[in-house]
Amino acid sequence: MQESAIDIDSLNDAQREAVLTCEGPLLVLAGAGSGKTRVLTHRIAHMVADLGVAPWQVLAITFTNKAAAEMRERLGALLPGGTRGMWVCTFHAMAVRILRDDAELLGYRPNFTIYDDDDSKRLVKAIMADLDIDTKQFPVNMVRSKISAAKNAMVDADEMAAQAADPATQKAARVYAELQRRLMVANAMDFDDLLVNTLLLFERHPEVLARYQRRFVQISVDEYQDTNHVQYLITKRLAELHRNLMVVGDDDQSIYSWRGADIQNILDFEKDYPDARVVKLQQNYRSTGHILAAANAVVANNSHRKPKRLFTDEGDGEPISAYQAADERDEGRWVAAEIERLHAAGTPYDDMAVFYRTNAQSRILEDMFLRAGVPYKIVGGTRFFDRAEIRDVMAYLKLVLNPADDVSARRVVNVPRRGIGATSQDKIAAYAATHGTPFFSAAQACVAEAGLLSPKVRNALAAWTSAVEEARHYEGELSRVVELIVERSGLVAALEAERTPEAEGRIENIREFLLIAQEFDESHDDVVSALESLAELREAGVAGAEAADDPGAVPAPQPVDDDGQGALFAAPDEGAAPAADGGFGAVASSQLPAFMEWLALRSDLDSLSGQTSAITMMTIHSAKGLEFPVVFVCGMEEGLFPNLTHDSDPARLEEERRLAYVAITRARKRLYLTYAATRRTWGATQANPRSRFVNEIPESHIKVTGVGSAGFSGTGWEKRGDRRGTFGSGTGSSVYGGSVFGNQTRSSGTARPAPVRKDPRKAAESFEPGDRVHHKTFGSGTVVAVKGDTLEVRFAKSGQTKKLMKGFAPIVKVQ
Ligand SMILES: Nc1ncnc2c1ncn2[C@@H]1O[C@H](COP(=O)(O)OP(=O)(O)OP(=O)(O)O)[C@@H](O)[C@H]1O
Ligand SMILES: [Mg+2]
């Protein structure tokens, strides 16, 4: 095999056996980081490069788009001759390709539309409203998951109705029938339909199936433990002719049972293919010893699993760091500071990832990263400030600040819908063009002059312009202005009227935005320093810092000199504003301009992160199959992770634990687990003990720091008590007893386990003259003076001394 295109010597014996087994069914069953995906790609490369298999004869399926992209890249690197024609994709992407060619056979037109999760949810909701089904009694999500389960079990609506034993299932069956009818009329398929229709196509049209069976001589499926029934059947059908099917997976990493994934598919592989070769891999090449030991220890608490153990030759590496934060903001802040510290010490941002159990956690983290200047990207989610409802509120505020901002005016004139349609908007725009005025002034004129618009539109427009005017003239706190515009624009009222879970989510986001404004009112100093950071970035000529978010909106902040920040707070008609402000004058609330600049700073930092390397933020679910040198898992608290309620099924706890195993095993060299003593979610503050998954890690592999200690380098309180075994059954209320958190809570008699700093946002690090520091933009320097929250730092490269705000300037101490 010396001639091989791949480096066979880089594989261990078991891996080599798998790579060289190119005929017949093959199962690779092994724990995380043991090289399953690497074996899969090397095996394909070997077949193509050495055995004459054509790339187009190869089908490689994986679970997420990100994983598919990585696999394609790896294959590209291994096969200089190219991978043209090879299908490397997810099940859904494969289904789309197949159906684009032949959906007509099932009665669709080839240009069918794909409804994503949001679209299909909206459709289900509309149907339920039309059928008069009460969504309080039968929640939309419950109905959808019943329909989805039926689809994935290949049960159609009639069959579901015939089998339905309870009212909820009967209702779901009715919705299902109508859903399919409407999807068909709309020439659309939802995600489940893509899979189901592919299978139907194969069953009803054997000639189509035969074509693909002949084509795909070699089929490989990664993350096989997470295939559901339909996916299993599709794979089975496709592989029937050549029987060259390789599946790889790890039963400990099955995390999609809530979507119908069936761990049994992997466990039954040997039953389906009695001649299957089974290869087990035991060496982990990803993680250092402490991390691997922690993962092994946690997952060992699951009873429904095939026991297996992994070893590593890597050495122990660094113990896992656990950090107990005062609250969720302290957590975010600490993570940001630690990221900056690692970055200053040479770890590229790209090498770091931050995971969370639920999407809702990302907002605070984003907030803290933006403040600290940590560039980030979010996989599989929308960044807070990119969300439509937040953009709407921001457009309103821009308009309040600057009524000449036509982009914002046009964006929100009919948001929420108030009957000012395209025709009316065109008329206003035409008026504006004729009179050379901004759109908003034209709107005011159209309100004043009868006859230009219909009375109904005129009324709606009057309400809109007066809402903006009222906010403009409100003299008082900024948060009140934001509240006012949110109320008077009708944004929240319209969402409330929708009475949908998404609308609820949007309202919640708007509330979060209000909180940000309140915080701004409370912490003006921080803002000054945040603006300073931006000014510094601009001064330093950092690419992207000049990028204007929205032309004609907020005036760009001006660089400050050493003594004053005055220019930063200029109202739009003083100095920095565009010359033509439409003659509107300054807004009454003096803080709005600064607030808008602050928000602009955020988007500026966003654009910075688009260009340079960035940390990755994502849910643990989307981290499957990936690896990063440094991983932070946030929110390690009971109730959040494991994400359980008291009446949760014990099987769910096992799935949550598998998720913890997935999270831990993504880390190559450094793993951080963080948890907050108190956490504010949905307006309520909760104090949850730290996650049992942290407690399940033996003490020898983990180092705990936290509030009460001097920042992240201190030792703080230590874990004690018999952590393992205390949890007994692993479910129910006894779980809280025995955790360190629990002990301390009881002994101190307070709700919090350790002294909580008054303002956790201010306390991450203390500086003294003489300390060596590193600034994101200016590089290394020395602290020359500390005055309150202001540091004076002399930077080595420029020789300049700069004033920086502690806690906001992107600066860390270097040891
Ligand atoms: N024989 C080997 N020699 C050197 N490095 C290896 C070897 N096998 C695997 N690796 C490396 O170990 C890491 C983990 O491999 P891989 O991602 O294929 O594991 P996996 O089993 O698919 O993990 P997961 O279960 O998380 O998907 C990768 O960085 C890979 O390049
Ligand atoms: Mg893998």
Side-chain angles (χ1 to χ4, degrees), residues 394-395 397-409 548-556 571-573 576-578 580-581 593 596-597 600:
M394 282 172 48
L397 290 174
K398 285 179 184 174
L399 185 62
V400 168
L401 184 65
N402 174 18
D405 175 358
D406 283 359
V407 173
S408 298
D549 178 27
D550 196 345
V554 192
D573 58 343
D581 71 348
M596 296 311 285
E597 286 183 5

Side-chain angles (χ1 to χ4, degrees), residues 9-297:
D9 292 339
S10 76
L11 303 165
N12 67 34
D13 290 350
Q15 290 177 333
R16 195 174 308 127
E17 180 190 348
V19 167
L20 300 181
T21 302
C22 296
E23 265 174 43
L26 170 67
L27 165 66
V28 178
L29 184 61
S34 56
K36 297 184 295 297
T37 305
R38 189 169 188 262
V39 162
L40 191 151
T41 46
H42 276 65
R43 185 170 171 272
I44 291 174
H46 170 59
M47 293 185 301
V48 172
D50 306 328
L51 306 182
V53 174
W56 56 266
Q57 293 177 317
V58 173
L59 168 64
I61 299 175
T62 180
F63 212 76
T64 62
N65 290 322
K66 195 167 165 59
E70 273 188 15
M71 193 181 282
R72 205 172 303 121
E73 204 178 298
R74 284 193 203 178
L75 281 165
L78 288 170
L79 290 168
T83 56
R84 250 182 99 95
M86 195 184 288
W87 284 26
V88 182
C89 54
T90 63
F91 271 108
H92 287 97
M94 171 178 77
V96 174
R97 283 201 198 182
I98 292 173
L99 291 168
R100 284 278 174 231
D101 282 346
D102 288 308
E104 277 170 295
L105 296 172
L106 298 175
Y108 292 86
R109 292 187 296 283
N111 62 342
F112 63 86
T113 307
I114 299 163
Y115 277 5
D116 67 15
D117 226 39
D118 273 356
D119 300 330
S120 88
K121 195 165 175 179
R122 262 193 291 275
L123 184 55
V124 167
K125 240 175 301 177
I127 292 171
M128 290 177 70
D130 292 349
L131 296 179
D132 262 338
I133 299 175
D134 179 7
T135 49
K136 283 227 170 60
Q137 205 182 344
F138 304 104
V140 177
N141 279 339
M142 185 261 284
V143 169
R144 288 185 73 215
S145 73
K146 278 182 181 293
I147 295 172
S148 176
K151 285 189 180 182
N152 283 302
M154 298 298 284
V155 170
D156 67 18
D158 289 344
E159 214 176 323
M160 185 179 182
Q163 291 170 1
D166 57 284
T169 312
Q170 283 158 5
K171 297 272 190 252
R174 278 183 62 205
V175 177
Y176 184 6
E178 182 60 16
L179 174 67
Q180 292 317 100
R181 200 188 63 77
R182 291 199 197 179
L183 282 166
M184 202 68 190
V185 171
N187 192 35
M189 300 185 200
D190 66 17
F191 284 164
D192 291 329
D193 291 338
L194 291 174
L195 300 175
V196 170
N197 284 335
T198 301
L199 193 59
L200 281 180
L201 182 68
F202 287 171
E203 286 185 353
R204 293 186 192 158
H205 298 276
E207 73 288 359
V208 176
L209 173 63
R211 213 168 65 221
Y212 288 105
Q213 283 178 334
R214 279 195 303 273
R215 170 179 177 156
F216 294 127
V217 175
Q218 287 290 349
I219 301 176
S220 313
V221 185
D222 200 357
E223 307 279 0
Y224 191 68
Q225 75 279 356
D226 277 323
T227 48
N228 67 25
H229 189 61
V230 180
Q231 291 165 335
Y232 162 81
L233 290 173
I234 291 173
T235 314
K236 201 169 165 189
R237 285 258 172 285
L238 282 174
E240 251 158 23
L241 178 66
H242 297 291
R243 296 186 90 252
N244 293 329
L245 172 64
M246 176 208 209
V247 303
V248 316
D250 176 6
D251 51 322
D252 284 335
Q253 293 186 67
S254 160
I255 54 173
Y256 277 96
S257 71
W258 53 281
R259 260 202 217 161
D262 192 350
I263 204 166
Q264 216 50 43
N265 290 337
I266 195 157
L267 302 177
D268 286 350
F269 190 81
E270 291 169 80
K271 280 194 203 137
D272 284 343
Y273 303 93
D275 55 334
R277 182 89 77 100
V278 180
V279 175
K280 295 194 173 154
L281 308 176
Q282 288 183 327
Q283 180 163 0
N284 175 296
Y285 290 90
R286 178 179 296 148
S287 310
T288 52
H290 283 305
I291 294 169
L292 192 60
N296 282 337

Side-chain angles (χ1 to χ4, degrees), residues 324 326-327 677-678 685 687 741 744-745 748 750-757:
Q324 180 186 330
D327 57 21
T678 63
T685 301
F741 217 128
Q744 293 214 346
T745 303
S748 67
T750 66
R752 290 180 173 186
V756 174
R757 290 192 294 262

Side-chain angles (χ1 to χ4, degrees), residues 288-295 312 315-320 664 697 700-702:
T288 52
H290 283 305
I291 294 169
L292 192 60
T312 175
D316 282 348
E318 295 274 340
I320 292 157
I664 295 170
I697 298 172
S700 50
H701 301 298
I702 190 165

